[in-house]
Amino acid sequence: MAGAKKPKPQSRATITVHGGSPHPKAGEPVALPLVQSVNFVQYPNTADGLRYTRYGNTPNEEVVQKRIAMLEGAEAALVLSSGMGATACALLALLRPGDHLLSSSWIYGGTRKLFTEEFVQMGIEVSFANPDERRVWRNTIRQNTRVIFVESPVNPSSRVIDLHQLAILAKTQGVALVVDSTLASPINSRPIEHGADVVIHSATKYLNGHGDILCGAVAGTASYIEEVRHKMMVWGQAPDPFACWLLERGLKTLDVRVRRSNENALKIAEWCQKRPEIRKVHYAGLSSHPDHALAKKMMDGFGGLMSIELSGGAEAADRFISRLKLITHASSLGGADSLVVEPRYSSHAHMTSEERAAIGIPDGFIRLSIGIESADDIIADIAQALQ
Ligand SMILES: *Cc1c(COP(=O)(O)O)cnc(C)c1O
């Protein structure tokens, strides 16, 4: 049509509220209804339109799938029962026995177990590369490499991976670049914009943001997402409609929550940096962080996850955690509540003190997931706990 103007694309803040859900008509509910039904009345004389919760095509599932695809700038997305379910199905759709998976060595513990225990047993070759050693990536690629897998930003170091560089390598070698972008959320970074093929989320974290559901998401091309859907169906990894309903509601505030967490964490990291009781602060928003320049280039915000190392070591860390009144001692991250953990009692409990120190997690290392409370109140809590 001559002269017809394309409508301006909606901003992410608007997509978080409305993306994927039809505008309600007069008399209809404004809040998305929960349709808990597992099966749906079928049209006569056809197999088309068969709906079943395990297929991921019921109303609450479809709305969150569309919204996440829009937020990531992907053709399509699928929501699964957990972040681990998402990672497993996303990679099973890409790898066959005899294929090689090249993974960053800085990944979530559960993901590492999936690769080294389950995938290896299935005949998939797995090797790890240290993202700090650039040449290692190129040298570790084999004839049968099908996937490069990274997590960025990295938990708990707040390290950031140069996705653009890896995407160039992946393209020239004809392999898929898969990114676990849980810590960034689509508000801070969209890996597809940097050349990634597949984006994975533990939607349990920022996407839902309230610490009350377990969910995962995969985004990519429409044809690839159909392959992931097939894995989800046969391995039984579909989410519950109620989890999708809560996720849809959580997504509405994603933009404001992530922005507030970003602001809070930066303010708290800057404050922590000046304290004599704290030896080191790990946060990509600080100019002292090794990936500060890269994070500034690649991300719209530095996120809510930061770590500190107390000068007093293990004893000081135990004392600090037991004195906190506002910040809650609990695992997980990315919610409205600020949470704290000591990796030596949680994610890295299986290692010795020396082994942890060697990978940059010495005794006295504390991880903070900064929530959306007032930054001043969080700082006051940290200050009184340090005394
Ligand atoms: C939590 C987490 C996962 C696993 O997600 P679940 O929802 O717990 O299954 C995967 N990757 C990262 C980076 C995570 O933080």
Side-chain angles (χ1 to χ4, degrees), residues 82-84 108 111 151 155 180 182-183 202 204-205 214-215 333:
S82 69
M84 284 307 301
Y108 181 73
T111 309
E151 180 184 313
N155 170 17
D180 180 339
T182 297
L183 262 61
S202 166
T204 311
K205 317 291 169 54
L214 199 66
C215 237
L333 59 102

Side-chain angles (χ1 to χ4, degrees), residues 32-40 51 53 58-60 241-242 245:
L32 189 74
L34 168 60
V35 183
Q36 189 69 46
S37 188
V38 165
N39 32 33
F40 289 74
R51 288 184 163 205
T53 301
T58 63
N60 295 93
F242 184 46
W245 184 82

Side-chain angles (χ1 to χ4, degrees), residues 191-220:
I192 288 170
E193 288 176 3
H194 302 286
D197 300 291
V198 176
V199 183
I200 293 172
H201 283 281
S202 166
T204 311
K205 317 291 169 54
Y206 287 102
L207 295 187
N208 176 60
H210 294 72
D212 51 11
I213 59 159
L214 199 66
C215 237
V218 184

